[in-house]
């Protein structure tokens, strides 16, 4: 496609508007307050609605604004600090786990997951779906993939209600050697978006965790966090107080 | 503003197109290949250019496509796994640090940083700007804030070339007690965008690290990573091989 957009001025039109809007949010609005409609805002700032929408999208990316289904666009509260890297290694579902189990199914894993697990393309994998709720809001969904080979003693005859607890119980019987994580940007798939009360395609933070036992990857978790409301924290010194970065406030360094 | 967008159908028009495009990328294009222009693509898939652009933006969010200044839109290589959480606690710039120093200035810190550092609103803070290059590509910029109180022995008379090394040297003389990190979504500010070869407002992953010494926060680092090309890794088991998640591929769990 054309490179028009990339070759345009370094400072796009909506960029200045974003800065102006940001200041207006600070001085005129409270957290949770609903913004005026797009037509009124565009008129007030003398811009086209397309430009306004771009600026609003930026502010949503930065966590300043929140689009809420059936409500409109509101001034966002500070992002929630969500501990992701536990200092103590534990299996999913063990101890003081922040996740609630939603369901479980046995199916062939997606190709990328199968490749990480080292399972064959037709080997069944238990897939536990879980969710994480903080302050009454569902902030994350998770798919935990446990290959049948990791939990060989699992009975083949399980009721849907017993399935997830049995998989987790068998998993906890293994000695967890280590775990590692990656964080990357993603876009919410339809089912995750529904659960997180977002539109499909909304930006999310995808945390992939590998759990090692017996010298191999015994389970893989793919957790999808709302990027608008969550700040993922690692380490054991509690949550951070750096919530937002104002544009151009720290341009001090040369 | 209106809630039109949110109240629309759960599956936006561009969503289906994105899935179709994704398949086309897999079957017809190589990594690094330049996509046809927007007009041709829109015609081929029988959609409006606005719809096409939305689908392309989604694929960019997911790391499938890359917009390159002066080149156009290309099929992205797999994201680079970038180790962020070192297993050994070290000060910035110590040992095998992945960052290169660009410059340093002494200025009042932004309000949020000052609040984390516990410095007064008019206390000077050394701000070291650094950059991180992997595979010939600058993937991150960093501002490292070191309050004057953390490095009291620093001479007041430093040449610009000596400033950053002197600040880091003094910092390394302190006993590092612990560090913690947070990761959140942000949008690239103008100066960061320029350095990262992105447009202002491009999605970035913002990693904020607090360094503790002497029972307080001795330094704060705010690092801005390109979200399109980077996958941040934590833990010590190397990089992950889970690169992309195909839409609807892992809808197995109930």
């Amino acid at each position: 496609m054309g490179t028009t957009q990339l070759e345009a001025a370094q400072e796009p039109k909506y960029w200045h508007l974003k800065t102006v809007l940001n200041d207006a949010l600070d001085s005129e609005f409270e957290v949770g307050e609903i913004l005026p409609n797009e037509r009124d805002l565009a008129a007030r700032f003398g811009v086209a609605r397309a430009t306004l929408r771009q600026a609003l999208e930026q502010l949503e990316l930065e966590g300043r604004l929140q689009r809420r289904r059936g409500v409109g666009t509101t001034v966002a509260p500070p992002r929630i600090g969500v501990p992701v890297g536990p200092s103590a290694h534990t299996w999913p579902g063990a101890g003081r786990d922040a996740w609630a189990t939603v369901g479980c199914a046995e199916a062939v894993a997606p190709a990328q997951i199968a490749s990480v697990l080292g399972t064959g393309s037709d080997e069944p994998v238990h897939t536990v779906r879980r969710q994480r709720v903080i302050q009454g809001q569902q902030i994350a969904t998770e798919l935990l993939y446990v290959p049948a080979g990791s939990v060989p003693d699992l009975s083949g005859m399980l009721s849907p209600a017993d399935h997830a607890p049995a998989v987790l119980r068998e998993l906890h019987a293994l000695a967890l050697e280590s775990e590692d994580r990656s964080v990357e940007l993603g876009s919410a798939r339809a089912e995750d978006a529904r659960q997180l009360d977002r539109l499909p395609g909304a930006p999310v933070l995808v945390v992939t965790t590998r759990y090692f036992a017996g010298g191999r990857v015994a389970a893989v978790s793919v957790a999808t966090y709302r990027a608008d409301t969550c700040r993922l924290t690692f380490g054991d010194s509690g949550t951070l107080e750096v919530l937002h970065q104002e544009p151009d406030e720290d341009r001090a360094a040369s």
Side-chain angles (χ1 to χ4, degrees), chain A:
Chain A
M1 71 212 61
T3 54
T4 330
Q5 204 189 337
L6 281 173
E7 283 163 356
Q10 284 290 307
E11 199 90 322
K13 212 189 291 182
Y14 64 83
W15 192 256
H16 174 67
L17 174 63
K18 195 202 75 166
T19 312
V20 173
L21 269 171
N22 202 48
D23 292 343
L25 292 179
D26 279 339
S27 56
E28 299 173 33
F29 292 87
E30 302 289 325
V31 164
E33 200 172 333
I34 302 171
L35 257 59
N37 66 44
E38 286 185 3
R39 185 176 320 174
D40 292 351
L41 279 177
R44 167 169 167 188
F45 293 104
V47 296
R49 280 180 72 167
T51 306
L52 176 72
R53 273 200 208 101
Q54 280 186 292
L56 294 174
E57 276 166 21
Q58 287 297 318
L59 289 168
E60 200 185 352
L61 265 191
E62 292 169 20
R64 291 298 321 262
L65 292 178
Q66 210 167 1
R67 298 207 201 190
R68 292 163 59 192
R69 213 182 287 272
V71 174
T73 299
T74 59
V75 180
R79 283 176 170 159
I80 305 169
V82 182
V84 167
S87 42
H89 289 308
T90 49
W91 285 112
R96 296 180 306 150
D97 192 298
W99 297 83
T101 301
V102 177
C104 189
E106 196 173 347
V108 170
Q112 290 95 339
I113 300 291
S115 136
V116 176
L117 288 169
T119 54
S121 62
D122 53 358
E123 191 178 329
V125 170
H126 302 283
T127 308
V128 180
R129 177 174 273 281
R130 305 195 303 163
Q131 63 181 30
R132 187 166 179 177
V133 175
I134 289 188
Q135 297 171 13
Q137 183 190 77
Q138 183 170 345
I139 54 143
T141 67
E142 183 200 43
L143 293 174
L144 174 69
Y145 300 96
V146 183
S150 292
V151 288
D153 295 337
L154 198 66
S155 152
M157 297 289 287
L158 287 165
S159 74
D162 291 339
H163 195 166
V167 169
L168 292 175
R169 194 170 54 237
E170 291 294 314
L171 197 60
H172 298 171
L174 303 177
L176 177 62
E177 288 156 3
S178 65
E179 58 195 277
D180 64 14
R181 284 185 180 73
S182 76
V183 179
E184 64 187 308
L185 180 63
S187 69
R189 289 155 303 153
E191 170 63 10
D192 292 329
R194 195 186 56 75
Q195 287 196 43
L196 298 174
D197 197 21
R198 308 294 294 149
L199 276 180
V204 289
L205 295 169
V206 180
V207 180
T208 307
T209 308
R210 299 192 296 184
Y211 296 91
F212 294 84
R216 60 184 203 81
V217 181
V220 168
S221 147
V222 179
T224 301
Y225 288 83
R226 286 180 64 148
D228 57 337
T229 54
C230 294
R231 197 177 74 253
L232 308 183
T233 66
F234 296 81
D236 40 22
S237 303
T239 55
L240 279 166
E241 298 311 314
V242 179
L243 303 169
H244 296 295
Q245 276 227 270
E246 299 304 320
D248 303 320
E249 243 190 358
D250 48 4
R251 294 269 66 86
S254 59

PDB file of all heavy atoms in Angstrom, chain A residues 7 57 61 71 99 134 139 145 152 179 207 237:
ATOM      1  N   GLU A   7       4.947   9.200   5.246  1.00  0.00           N
ATOM      2  CA  GLU A   7       5.796  10.271   4.742  1.00  0.00           C
ATOM      3  C   GLU A   7       5.226  11.641   5.083  1.00  0.00           C
ATOM      4  O   GLU A   7       5.818  12.663   4.766  1.00  0.00           O
ATOM      5  CB  GLU A   7       5.977  10.120   3.234  1.00  0.00           C
ATOM      6  CG  GLU A   7       6.988   9.022   2.918  1.00  0.00           C
ATOM      7  CD  GLU A   7       6.907   8.546   1.494  1.00  0.00           C
ATOM      8  OE1 GLU A   7       6.019   9.018   0.761  1.00  0.00           O
ATOM      9  OE2 GLU A   7       7.727   7.699   1.106  1.00  0.00           O
ATOM     10  N   GLU A  57      -8.579   7.994  20.243  1.00  0.00           N
ATOM     11  CA  GLU A  57      -7.987   6.652  20.249  1.00  0.00           C
ATOM     12  C   GLU A  57      -6.622   6.657  20.925  1.00  0.00           C
ATOM     13  O   GLU A  57      -6.271   5.730  21.657  1.00  0.00           O
ATOM     14  CB  GLU A  57      -7.857   6.123  18.808  1.00  0.00           C
ATOM     15  CG  GLU A  57      -9.148   5.491  18.313  1.00  0.00           C
ATOM     16  CD  GLU A  57      -9.142   5.274  16.802  1.00  0.00           C
ATOM     17  OE1 GLU A  57      -8.045   5.241  16.206  1.00  0.00           O
ATOM     18  OE2 GLU A  57     -10.245   5.162  16.217  1.00  0.00           O
ATOM     19  N   LEU A  61      -5.412   4.563  24.137  1.00  0.00           N
ATOM     20  CA  LEU A  61      -4.181   3.756  24.183  1.00  0.00           C
ATOM     21  C   LEU A  61      -3.365   4.064  25.432  1.00  0.00           C
ATOM     22  O   LEU A  61      -2.764   3.185  26.033  1.00  0.00           O
ATOM     23  CB  LEU A  61      -3.286   4.079  22.981  1.00  0.00           C
ATOM     24  CG  LEU A  61      -3.315   3.250  21.715  1.00  0.00           C
ATOM     25  CD1 LEU A  61      -2.158   3.625  20.812  1.00  0.00           C
ATOM     26  CD2 LEU A  61      -3.269   1.768  22.016  1.00  0.00           C
ATOM     27  N   VAL A  71     -22.334   3.214  27.604  1.00  0.00           N
ATOM     28  CA  VAL A  71     -22.155   4.395  28.454  1.00  0.00           C
ATOM     29  C   VAL A  71     -21.579   5.544  27.634  1.00  0.00           C
ATOM     30  O   VAL A  71     -22.089   6.664  27.650  1.00  0.00           O
ATOM     31  CB  VAL A  71     -21.205   4.085  29.645  1.00  0.00           C
ATOM     32  CG1 VAL A  71     -20.908   5.355  30.431  1.00  0.00           C
ATOM     33  CG2 VAL A  71     -21.824   3.027  30.548  1.00  0.00           C
ATOM     34  N   TRP A  99      -6.795 -16.470  39.864  1.00  0.00           N
ATOM     35  CA  TRP A  99      -7.646 -16.840  38.749  1.00  0.00           C
ATOM     36  C   TRP A  99      -8.799 -17.745  39.175  1.00  0.00           C
ATOM     37  O   TRP A  99      -8.634 -18.569  40.069  1.00  0.00           O
ATOM     38  CB  TRP A  99      -6.830 -17.562  37.682  1.00  0.00           C
ATOM     39  CG  TRP A  99      -5.751 -16.718  37.073  1.00  0.00           C
ATOM     40  CD1 TRP A  99      -4.511 -16.490  37.578  1.00  0.00           C
ATOM     41  CD2 TRP A  99      -5.827 -15.985  35.854  1.00  0.00           C
ATOM     42  NE1 TRP A  99      -3.810 -15.660  36.743  1.00  0.00           N
ATOM     43  CE2 TRP A  99      -4.586 -15.336  35.672  1.00  0.00           C
ATOM     44  CE3 TRP A  99      -6.836 -15.821  34.887  1.00  0.00           C
ATOM     45  CZ2 TRP A  99      -4.328 -14.527  34.567  1.00  0.00           C
ATOM     46  CZ3 TRP A  99      -6.565 -15.028  33.793  1.00  0.00           C
ATOM     47  CH2 TRP A  99      -5.329 -14.386  33.648  1.00  0.00           C
ATOM     48  N   ILE A 134     -10.566  -8.290  39.106  1.00  0.00           N
ATOM     49  CA  ILE A 134     -10.024  -7.385  40.124  1.00  0.00           C
ATOM     50  C   ILE A 134     -10.981  -6.223  40.273  1.00  0.00           C
ATOM     51  O   ILE A 134     -11.439  -5.660  39.279  1.00  0.00           O
ATOM     52  CB  ILE A 134      -8.608  -6.879  39.728  1.00  0.00           C
ATOM     53  CG1 ILE A 134      -7.591  -8.026  39.842  1.00  0.00           C
ATOM     54  CG2 ILE A 134      -8.174  -5.716  40.624  1.00  0.00           C
ATOM     55  CD1 ILE A 134      -6.151  -7.607  39.656  1.00  0.00           C
ATOM     56  N   ILE A 139     -10.500  -8.546  34.181  1.00  0.00           N
ATOM     57  CA  ILE A 139      -9.388  -7.856  33.530  1.00  0.00           C
ATOM     58  C   ILE A 139      -8.578  -8.788  32.628  1.00  0.00           C
ATOM     59  O   ILE A 139      -7.765  -8.317  31.849  1.00  0.00           O
ATOM     60  CB  ILE A 139      -8.440  -7.217  34.563  1.00  0.00           C
ATOM     61  CG1 ILE A 139      -7.990  -8.294  35.568  1.00  0.00           C
ATOM     62  CG2 ILE A 139      -9.094  -6.060  35.274  1.00  0.00           C
ATOM     63  CD1 ILE A 139      -6.574  -8.117  35.979  1.00  0.00           C
ATOM     64  N   TYR A 145      -2.847 -24.588  28.666  1.00  0.00           N
ATOM     65  CA  TYR A 145      -2.734 -25.811  27.880  1.00  0.00           C
ATOM     66  C   TYR A 145      -1.903 -26.848  28.635  1.00  0.00           C
ATOM     67  O   TYR A 145      -0.731 -26.619  28.924  1.00  0.00           O
ATOM     68  CB  TYR A 145      -2.067 -25.518  26.535  1.00  0.00           C
ATOM     69  CG  TYR A 145      -2.822 -24.520  25.686  1.00  0.00           C
ATOM     70  CD1 TYR A 145      -2.485 -23.171  25.702  1.00  0.00           C
ATOM     71  CD2 TYR A 145      -3.875 -24.926  24.873  1.00  0.00           C
ATOM     72  CE1 TYR A 145      -3.173 -22.247  24.921  1.00  0.00           C
ATOM     73  CE2 TYR A 145      -4.576 -24.016  24.092  1.00  0.00           C
ATOM     74  CZ  TYR A 145      -4.215 -22.674  24.127  1.00  0.00           C
ATOM     75  OH  TYR A 145      -4.901 -21.766  23.356  1.00  0.00           O
ATOM     76  N   PRO A 152      -0.659 -38.021  33.020  1.00  0.00           N
ATOM     77  CA  PRO A 152      -1.012 -39.344  32.483  1.00  0.00           C
ATOM     78  C   PRO A 152      -1.991 -40.123  33.360  1.00  0.00           C
ATOM     79  O   PRO A 152      -2.679 -41.021  32.860  1.00  0.00           O
ATOM     80  CB  PRO A 152       0.338 -40.066  32.417  1.00  0.00           C
ATOM     81  CG  PRO A 152       1.213 -39.358  33.400  1.00  0.00           C
ATOM     82  CD  PRO A 152       0.751 -37.948  33.420  1.00  0.00           C
ATOM     83  N   GLU A 179       9.744 -21.381  35.543  1.00  0.00           N
ATOM     84  CA  GLU A 179       8.747 -20.831  34.644  1.00  0.00           C
ATOM     85  C   GLU A 179       9.344 -19.586  34.009  1.00  0.00           C
ATOM     86  O   GLU A 179      10.224 -18.945  34.582  1.00  0.00           O
ATOM     87  CB  GLU A 179       7.458 -20.497  35.405  1.00  0.00           C
ATOM     88  CG  GLU A 179       7.641 -19.519  36.544  1.00  0.00           C
ATOM     89  CD  GLU A 179       6.437 -19.489  37.496  1.00  0.00           C
ATOM     90  OE1 GLU A 179       5.468 -18.799  37.206  1.00  0.00           O
ATOM     91  OE2 GLU A 179       6.514 -20.167  38.539  1.00  0.00           O
ATOM     92  N   VAL A 207       0.261 -12.317  27.853  1.00  0.00           N
ATOM     93  CA  VAL A 207       1.325 -12.864  28.696  1.00  0.00           C
ATOM     94  C   VAL A 207       1.369 -14.376  28.472  1.00  0.00           C
ATOM     95  O   VAL A 207       0.393 -15.071  28.751  1.00  0.00           O
ATOM     96  CB  VAL A 207       1.078 -12.568  30.188  1.00  0.00           C
ATOM     97  CG1 VAL A 207       2.196 -13.153  31.047  1.00  0.00           C
ATOM     98  CG2 VAL A 207       0.957 -11.065  30.421  1.00  0.00           C
ATOM     99  N   SER A 237       8.141  -5.722  45.107  1.00  0.00           N
ATOM    100  CA  SER A 237       8.114  -4.501  45.908  1.00  0.00           C
ATOM    101  C   SER A 237       6.764  -3.796  45.812  1.00  0.00           C
ATOM    102  O   SER A 237       6.674  -2.603  46.045  1.00  0.00           O
ATOM    103  CB  SER A 237       9.217  -3.541  45.462  1.00  0.00           C
ATOM    104  OG  SER A 237      10.460  -4.181  45.552  1.00  0.00           O
TER     105      SER A 237
END
